[in-house]
Amino acid sequence: MGDTGSLALGALLSGIAILTGEMLLLILVGGVFVAEGLSVIMQVGYFKLSKGKRILKMSPLHHHFELSGWPETKVTTRFWIASALCSLIGYAIVR
């Protein structure tokens, strides 16, 4: 999809969440994206504070799993499953 399409979809989802008052639910539904972003923030912050030590082998999180020996297809499949579970939980909360 690329940056343009994903940024447009993210803006649309964020706008809908703000208009409906469900901003915290968006964090749950986008759990995989939140985890990816937080992994980068934690890695950079810890690297600066510890003067060169790392939490993960590489960030974002999916690269850590790839460097741990998981094939890319396994990482992608697990992230799909995690995303589907986050979406189902979000749907159950709203319902």
Side-chain angles (χ1 to χ4, degrees):
M1 174 173 286
D3 284 345
T4 304
S6 62
L7 288 172
L9 283 176
L12 177 69
L13 283 172
S14 299
I16 291 171
I18 290 169
L19 290 174
T20 60
E22 301 288 347
M23 285 84 63
L24 293 177
L25 186 65
L26 186 61
I27 294 171
L28 174 66
V29 172
V32 171
F33 304 110
V34 172
E36 289 274 308
L38 286 177
S39 70
V40 174
I41 293 168
M42 289 184 342
Q43 181 86 328
V44 171
Y46 188 76
F47 187 83
K48 288 182 178 184
L49 290 173
S50 68
K51 297 182 176 37
K53 295 181 184 175
R54 300 179 189 276
I55 298 172
L56 305 170
K57 293 178 182 178
M58 187 179 196
S59 66
L61 188 58
H62 66 274
H63 288 308
H64 171 76
F65 291 127
E66 289 172 355
L67 289 177
S68 295
W70 289 17
E72 187 175 349
T73 53
K74 184 176 184 178
V75 173
T76 304
T77 304
R78 298 289 164 91
F79 275 45
W80 280 354
I81 292 168
S83 182
L85 288 174
C86 288
S87 297
L88 287 173
I89 293 168
Y91 180 74
I93 290 172
V94 170
R95 196 90 160 100

